Amino acid sequence: MQRVLRRSHAQLIAHPEYLLTVTELAGFELLLRRREAGEPVAYLIGEREFFGLSFTVTPDVLIPRPETELLVELALLHLPEDALRSVLDLGTGSGAIAITLAARRPLLDLVATDESADALRVAASNARRLLPSTPTLALPRRGQIRFLESEWFSELGSLRFDLIVANPPYVAANDPHLEQGDVRFEPRSALIGGGDGLRCIRHIVAHAREYLKPGGWLLFEHGYDQADACCALLQAAAYVDILSRRDLAGIPRLAGGRSWT
């Protein structure tokens, strides 16, 4: 109702006597029918809160989730407020991770990639709204974000980073959760990570060190049952200081390691 009437929650409460127009009622009933069919509320109203910011979301991007805030929190611990650092956000989607980092650390030099041009348009729009003066799909000044259409590392050239973050697809292709709840409506390319869910994570772990500066960190989100496999991949790829972290529900959710060369 707030979306249909373009009013705040407080305004709705303050004016309970308001009578909807025929057009407003039709719009509200349409949203109800779409929700009854299972369509996520975030897509219906076109936005989702993440780390205190309101991000525009469309069916072209994954809906930001609370557990991903853990990735941002850990990344911030590796990014001093008064230091210049370069950061790469792989598979940026709505731009939630990159934009939140830029909002908290204005000195960052940020690159955000996605293979979907439609997703990048959503991310660039969010950046323009949430980070004033951020150019669209162009080389920015320090403290802004460069959005780059790239399949993981393919278009990065000789760029090197102090920190690489990623929330890659990590759901197994036959996972029954894909046919349940909100994920039924989200882009499959942002969810499915191959037969066992680890295809994208394997690629990222195998190649990230080529794009990390000496001592740089790789941090990424993974599935609820993938912590051991992810740590093993990091160890096999010769990362050091390998870590694993649990989300607020106590579920292993994040892994990472540091490049020593």
Side-chain angles (χ1 to χ4, degrees):
M1 187 66 76
Q2 291 173 212
R3 176 72 173 180
V4 169
L5 299 182
R6 299 186 183 279
R7 297 184 180 186
S8 69
H9 186 63
Q11 288 173 318
L12 287 185
I13 294 174
H15 299 281
E17 76 286 353
Y18 177 79
L19 296 178
L20 275 66
T21 67
V22 172
T23 300
E24 290 167 344
L25 179 59
F28 182 63
E29 290 179 337
L30 175 60
L31 289 177
L32 285 180
R33 288 196 296 272
R34 290 170 62 187
R35 182 58 187 149
E36 285 174 342
E39 192 169 346
V41 172
Y43 289 158
L44 296 179
I45 66 175
E47 63 183 34
R48 171 59 63 88
E49 187 273 338
F50 180 84
F51 224 91
L53 299 173
S54 180
F55 286 87
T56 296
V57 293
T58 75
D60 295 312
V61 300
L62 199 68
I63 299 169
R65 288 163 166 75
E67 53 264 32
T68 304
E69 293 186 354
L70 175 65
L71 180 59
V72 173
E73 291 170 355
L74 190 58
L76 290 172
L77 292 177
H78 289 84
L79 297 169
E81 292 188 33
D82 57 350
L84 304 179
R85 293 289 189 273
S86 56
V87 177
L88 170 64
D89 176 23
L90 290 169
T92 194
S94 66
I97 295 172
I99 292 169
T100 302
L101 292 176
R104 299 301 192 280
R105 298 288 188 268
L107 294 180
L108 292 183
D109 183 9
L110 270 153
V111 175
T113 70
D114 205 292
E115 65 179 357
S116 167
D118 292 329
L120 287 174
R121 280 189 282 272
V122 174
S125 175
N126 278 321
R128 287 196 303 271
R129 182 170 52 84
L130 298 171
L131 301 172
S133 301
T134 297
T136 303
L137 305 177
L139 185 65
R141 298 184 298 276
R142 184 170 293 278
Q144 298 175 335
I145 304 173
R146 178 184 180 184
F147 293 100
L148 183 64
E149 188 173 345
S150 176
E151 184 178 3
W152 303 125
F153 305 97
S154 63
E155 303 300 320
L156 293 174
S158 61
L159 293 176
R160 297 294 182 272
F161 302 92
D162 297 292
L163 175 67
I164 296 176
V165 293
N167 180 16
Y170 53 71
V171 180
N174 61 352
D175 192 313
H177 294 94
L178 290 170
E179 304 306 323
Q180 302 172 14
D182 288 357
V183 296
R184 292 174 295 162
F185 295 83
E186 295 183 282
R188 284 296 193 258
S189 60
L191 291 166
I192 300 175
D196 62 356
L198 291 169
R199 181 187 61 201
C200 298
I201 290 175
R202 286 193 188 95
H203 182 84
I204 291 170
V205 171
H207 295 281
R209 283 186 58 198
E210 303 168 31
Y211 299 90
L212 283 170
K213 297 177 182 178
W217 280 87
L218 168 65
L219 303 172
F220 59 91
E221 185 173 319
H222 58 69
Y224 70 96
D225 59 351
Q226 297 171 337
D228 290 344
C230 289
C231 289
L233 288 171
L234 288 162
Q235 185 174 14
Y239 288 83
V240 297
D241 299 331
I242 295 170
L243 57 82
S244 178
R245 296 289 185 272
R246 296 176 180 267
D247 61 22
L248 291 177
I251 298 171
R253 184 62 63 186
L254 186 150
R258 183 171 60 86
S259 172
W260 55 273
T261 58

